[in-house]
Amino acid sequence: MPYTCPMHPEVVQTGAGACSLCGMALEPQMAALVAEDTSELAGMTRRFWVSLALTAPIFLLAMSEMLPGHPPRGWLPERLLSWIEGFLATPVVLWGGRPFFARGWASIVTRRLNMFTLIAIGTATTYGYSVIATFFPDLFPPSFRNPQGGVAVYFEAAAVITTLVLLGQVLELRARRRTASAIRALLDLAPKMARRVYGDGKEEDTPLEQIQPGDRLRVRPGEKVPVDGVVCEGTSAVDESLISGEPIPVEKAPGSHVTGGTVNGTGSFVMRAERVGSETLLAQIVRLVSEAARTRAPIQRVADVVSSYFVPAVVLVAFGTWITWSVVGPQPRMAYALVNAVAVLIIACPCALGLATPMSIMVATGRGALAGVLVKNAEALERLEKVDTLVTDKTGTLTEGKPRVVSIVPLPGYSESEVLRLAASLEQGSEHPLASALVSAARERGLSLSQVTGVQSFPGQGIRGEQEHRRVALGNQQMLDTLQIDPGELRGRAEALAQEGQTVMFLALEGNVVGLLGVTDPIKGSAMEAIHSLQADGLRIVMLTGDHRATAEAVARKLGIDHVEAGVLPDQKGAHVKRLQAEGCIVAMAGDGINDAPALAQADVGIAMGTGTDVAMESAALTLVKGDLRGIVRARRLSRVTMRNIRQNLFFAFVYNVVGISVAAGVLYPIFGVLLNPMVASAAMTFSSVSVIANALRLRRLPL
C-alpha cells in the first residue's frame, strides 16, 4: 500500500514511515479505502502517557520554590536534586523523544531541514548541557553560574518540551484522522451484504464483494442500495441525499437507475446489478475525493517557498541569539544565551505553515463530496471563486437530455402514426437522442417498424434510406437544401415550432415532404433556479450548443440567459471558450457529453454533469454527481469559504512565527523584562499546529 505525506504529496513510499522532507508521519494514499492504521497514534499516545508520568515529579521538584508553602532552600542538596531530575528525565528524552531525534537526524543527513531538526537540536542541547552540568560542574566558567555559585540544569525543560511535543503529535494525528472522516462517511454508505435473488425464487444474503454484474438483488424497506443498477420489479422512493445533497426522495420504478449507498424508502424492489466494486459511483467518488485531497492549490506555493528558507533562518536566528546574549546579556550570560537560543528553536514551527493548505483542502473536498460536488484537484477549487463567466451546454445540462416527441404534423393523405412509423423505422439503428425519442414514441403507440436498407447519414443534418421500396429521408432544413427538396407549406409551421423551442425534423418520401415531427428536450426543473442564483452571484452565463438558433434562443428566453452561441459544432466549442479567455474572462464550462470534452479541458474550470459521459468527467476538474447546476452554486460557496479558511491559516502561521521567534529571542527583555521559557515555547508550538487543523475542521460543518 503506498503511503504519502499530507504536507508533501510528492513523497510516496511503500509502507508507513516518516516524510523525508518534513518528518511527519505518512498516511495511506487511499486512507478511506483501507483498514485504518492507528499504530502511529497508539505509539505516540503510549510515549506521551509514560513521559507525562515521569515529567510531572521533575516539574514539581524544579518548580518547588514557586509553590505556596514550599520547603526552605536546601531541603535537598542541589546536586542530589539534579541527579533525581536527570534520572527521571533520561527515559523521557531518550525513549519518549526517540522518534523526534530519528527524524531530526534524518533531516540533517538528507539536508532536508524541518520542524524535527529544530526540536532535536533544542532538546539535545538542553539535555546534554544538563548532563554535563550534573556530572562535571567544575568545567563551567563563572558566566554559567548562578549567584549561589551553582550551575543551573534544565532537565525539567528537556522533559517538558519532549512531553508537550508528544502531546502535540497525539492531538495532530487525531485531528488528521478526523479530516478524512467525510471520505470514510461516504465509504460507510455502502452496505456489507446484499440480498441476492436466484432464478428459482430463493433469496440469500451475500457479502457485497461476491456480487457480480447481472445479479438480481432485492432491496427491502429501509435498506441501503448495495450497488449501482436498474430496477426490475417493484416501486419505491429512494433517499439520494447522501450522494446528491438533495433531501427529497426520488421515485423509482422498473427501468429506473439506482445508486449504491442510497437509502430505500417504504417500498420493496428487485434490481439488476450493473456496476459493482470499484466501478460503482460511490467507489469512484471516494477515489476522486482521496486523490483531490492530495493535490496542491497554487496558494500553497507561497508557503512552500517560505518553508524552504524557514528552518535554516531559524537556526541562524538561534545562533545569533546565543551570541548576543552571551556578549551583552546579564549574568549568568551563558545560561541566558542557552535558554533563549533553545526557546527560539522550539517555538519555530514550520509544521503549522505547511499544514495550512492541505488540511483545508482535505476537509473541503470531503465536505463537497457529501453535497454532491466532486473536486478533482485543489487548483480548480481555488480558481472557482475567481470565475466570472459560465459557459454551459444545453442538452443534458440545462435540459434533461431525454427528448420527447411532442408534435407530429402530417400533410393530407398521411396520418400521424404513418409519419411517426416511417421516421422511427429510419432511425431505429441510431443511438442519437433524437432517434431514441422517435423510436420510443413509436413503441408507446404500438407501431411496427419496417426494415431499412441503404442507410446514409448526413452529420448534423439527418439520415436517408430505403424502406418498403420507397426512398425516405428525415432531417432538418439543411438536409432538405442538400437534397434540393422544398418543404412547401410546412416551412412556416416548422419555424413556429422552432420558436417554441422544438427541434424540427422533416420527413420526405420519394423526394416530397409528407410531414414533420417536433421534438423537445424538457428544461430541468432546477435549471431556472440555478441560473438565477448564478447570475445573482455575478456570473455571466453563455449557452453554447450545436442546436438550431431558434430552438436555443427559446430555451434561453425561458431561463433568462442573454448570451447564446448556437449551431456550434463539437470541434468548435473549445475555440469559443478560448476566445472568451482571450477577452480576459475567467471561464468555467459545464457540459455532459463527449462533444463537450475539449471545451471542458480548455476552460479554467471544467464542470461535468455526473449523469453524462465518462469522457466528460475525465476532462473536467469538478463533477456534479446528479447533473444539477445548483451544484455550481454550492461549489462556489465551498470555494470561497475554503480559500478564506486557507488564508486564515496562512496568516496565523506567519504571524505566530514572526511574533513567537522575536519574543523567544528576547526582544521584549530590554523594555519589559520578559523572557520566554522553553517549556512555554514548546506549548505554543503544539498549539500552533493543532489550531491550524482545528480551523480547517470547521469546514466539515459548512452549510452547502
Side-chain angles (χ1 to χ4, degrees):
M1 169 63 67
Y3 279 65
T4 188
C5 174
M7 284 172 55
H8 301 94
E10 68 273 19
V11 175
V12 180
Q13 72 176 44
T14 302
C19 176
S20 59
L21 298 182
C22 66
M24 290 184 66
L26 302 180
E27 53 190 40
Q29 274 189 324
M30 302 294 286
L33 299 181
V34 298
E36 189 173 6
D37 183 2
T38 60
S39 58
E40 177 77 11
L41 176 59
M44 287 293 180
T45 303
R46 183 170 58 253
R47 291 177 190 271
F48 165 71
W49 285 113
V50 173
S51 297
L52 179 63
L54 295 172
T55 300
I58 303 174
F59 185 78
L60 292 174
L61 284 172
M63 300 293 129
S64 59
E65 293 186 11
M66 302 180 185
L67 299 175
H70 64 83
R73 181 181 299 276
W75 71 285
L76 271 179
E78 189 169 347
R79 191 161 187 181
L80 177 59
L81 188 61
S82 299
W83 276 78
I84 295 173
E85 290 179 359
F87 176 78
L88 294 172
T90 296
V92 175
V93 175
L94 299 185
W95 176 77
R98 181 179 177 181
F100 312 142
F101 288 118
R103 296 174 188 181
W105 176 250
S107 71
I108 295 173
V109 171
T110 60
R111 298 180 183 178
R112 300 280 191 173
L113 305 185
N114 54 51
M115 174 185 74
F116 294 102
T117 313
L118 305 179
I119 294 172
I121 293 174
T123 308
T125 301
T126 307
Y127 177 76
Y129 163 84
S130 300
V131 169
I132 296 173
T134 299
F135 286 95
F136 309 103
D138 296 336
L139 295 178
F140 291 86
S143 59
F144 279 86
R145 299 182 181 276
N146 56 34
Q148 289 74 38
V151 180
V153 295
Y154 299 99
F155 284 121
E156 82 283 357
V160 170
I161 288 170
T162 301
T163 303
L164 286 173
V165 174
L166 284 169
L167 174 61
Q169 288 294 294
V170 170
L171 295 176
E172 183 179 304
L173 288 169
R174 286 181 178 176
R176 280 165 57 185
R177 285 174 59 198
R178 292 175 62 195
T179 60
S181 61
I183 305 176
R184 294 189 183 280
L186 283 170
L187 195 63
D188 290 341
L189 294 178
K192 307 303 179 187
M193 306 287 287
R195 191 165 187 81
R196 181 187 284 164
V197 180
Y198 294 94
D200 58 2
K202 178 184 175 183
E203 298 184 6
E204 182 182 39
D205 288 333
T206 306
L208 197 62
E209 57 269 18
Q210 296 181 16
I211 300 300
Q212 300 294 324
D215 286 351
R216 287 165 56 87
L217 310 172
R218 180 174 296 282
V219 183
R220 293 169 292 191
E223 290 184 337
K224 291 180 179 179
V225 178
V227 296
D228 297 358
V230 177
V231 176
C232 301
E233 304 171 11
T235 60
S236 186
V238 176
D239 180 359
E240 299 183 336
S241 60
L242 292 178
I243 291 290
S244 66
E246 294 300 319
I248 302 176
V250 180
E251 295 293 330
K252 302 293 181 180
S256 300
H257 288 272
V258 288
T259 304
T262 54
V263 182
N264 185 26
T266 57
S268 175
F269 60 86
V270 176
M271 62 175 287
R272 183 180 68 254
E274 290 191 337
R275 295 193 294 183
V276 302
S278 62
E279 299 300 317
T280 65
L281 175 62
L282 184 60
Q284 293 180 44
I285 289 174
V286 173
R287 176 180 59 81
L288 286 172
V289 174
S290 296
E291 291 174 354
R294 304 298 176 203
T295 59
R296 317 199 88 182
I299 195 173
Q300 176 70 17
R301 295 170 192 154
V302 177
D304 290 343
V305 172
V306 173
S307 296
S308 65
Y309 296 100
F310 184 80
V311 176
V314 170
V315 174
L316 289 176
V317 171
F319 182 72
T321 300
W322 170 282
I323 296 296
T324 302
W325 279 90
S326 63
V327 173
V328 300
Q331 292 293 348
R333 291 176 180 172
M334 297 305 293
Y336 275 119
L338 173 68
V339 170
N340 291 328
V342 169
V344 169
L345 291 172
I346 296 300
I347 199 170
C349 182
C351 185
L353 193 61
L355 286 172
T357 297
M359 288 297 104
S360 296
I361 294 296
M362 183 178 294
V363 179
T365 51
R367 178 65 188 94
L370 290 174
V373 178
L374 300 186
V375 181
K376 195 172 184 179
N377 57 65
E379 185 175 359
L381 198 61
E382 179 173 344
R383 283 184 176 181
L384 189 59
E385 71 164 351
K386 302 173 184 176
V387 166
D388 54 28
T389 303
L390 173 65
V391 177
T392 175
D393 179 44
K394 179 178 75 69
T395 305
T397 304
L398 295 173
T399 63
E400 294 179 359
K402 299 176 182 178
R404 297 199 303 264
V405 176
V406 292
S407 299
I408 303 176
V409 182
L411 286 179
Y414 296 89
S415 66
E416 290 187 5
S417 295
E418 180 66 6
V419 169
L420 177 59
R421 187 185 69 83
L422 291 171
S425 298
L426 195 59
E427 291 280 21
Q428 61 185 315
S430 173
E431 295 182 356
H432 193 281
L434 295 181
S436 300
L438 294 173
V439 174
S440 296
R443 287 174 176 167
E444 287 174 3
R445 296 193 181 197
L447 303 178
S448 298
L449 305 185
S450 304
Q451 293 296 320
V452 181
T453 59
V455 175
Q456 182 181 4
S457 177
F458 296 80
Q461 298 182 15
I463 188 174
R464 71 176 178 179
E466 185 172 324
Q467 57 176 298
E468 300 171 355
H469 307 292
R470 294 180 295 180
R471 290 180 291 114
V472 183
L474 179 71
N476 55 23
Q477 181 64 55
Q478 289 176 293
M479 182 173 176
L480 294 187
D481 294 340
T482 300
L483 300 178
Q484 297 182 343
I485 298 175
D486 183 9
E489 62 185 271
L490 290 179
R491 185 190 301 273
R493 185 62 187 276
E495 292 177 354
L497 293 177
Q499 292 294 328
E500 296 175 5
Q502 297 184 33
T503 298
V504 176
M505 294 173 284
F506 295 95
L507 179 69
L509 192 61
E510 296 292 352
N512 296 307
V513 173
V514 297
L516 62 78
L517 301 100
V519 177
T520 187
D521 187 4
I523 295 174
K524 290 182 178 179
S526 61
M528 185 170 295
E529 177 189 343
I531 293 298
H532 289 170
S533 297
L534 291 168
Q535 288 173 332
D537 197 30
L539 283 183
R540 172 194 180 197
I541 312 295
V542 178
M543 181 197 292
L544 195 64
T545 178
D547 213 337
H548 188 274
R549 173 161 291 277
T551 303
E553 289 181 344
V555 173
R557 280 195 302 272
K558 293 178 182 177
L559 294 174
I561 299 175
D562 298 325
H563 305 279
V564 179
E565 297 285 348
V568 180
L569 297 178
D571 57 352
Q572 297 173 341
K573 289 188 174 183
H576 277 272
V577 172
K578 190 178 293 185
R579 177 174 56 80
L580 288 169
Q581 290 172 325
E583 295 173 0
C585 300
I586 301 176
V587 181
M589 167 72 189
D592 75 323
I594 294 176
N595 60 338
D596 298 319
L600 290 170
Q602 174 63 42
D604 295 285
V605 180
I607 304 172
M609 302 295 110
T611 51
T613 64
D614 291 340
V615 174
M617 285 183 273
E618 286 297 324
S619 303
L622 270 74
T623 298
L624 308 182
V625 175
K626 297 301 290 184
D628 185 342
L629 281 181
R630 288 177 297 184
I632 300 180
V633 180
R634 293 194 286 269
R636 290 264 288 181
R637 173 166 174 73
L638 180 67
S639 172
R640 285 199 186 97
V641 177
T642 301
M643 295 313 300
R644 183 166 66 242
N645 189 272
I646 290 174
R647 293 184 187 108
Q648 290 169 350
N649 284 345
L650 289 174
F651 175 79
F652 172 79
F654 278 123
V655 171
Y656 160 81
N657 281 296
V658 170
V659 174
I661 293 173
S662 300
V663 174
V667 296
L668 297 181
Y669 184 79
I671 303 173
F672 302 104
V674 175
L675 287 177
L676 193 65
N677 188 292
M679 293 182 289
V680 177
S682 180
M685 181 206 67
T686 297
F687 170 74
S688 68
S689 296
V690 175
S691 62
V692 163
I693 298 175
N695 189 46
L697 287 171
R698 292 193 305 116
L699 294 173
R700 297 169 64 201
R701 299 186 296 273
L702 174 66
L704 292 178

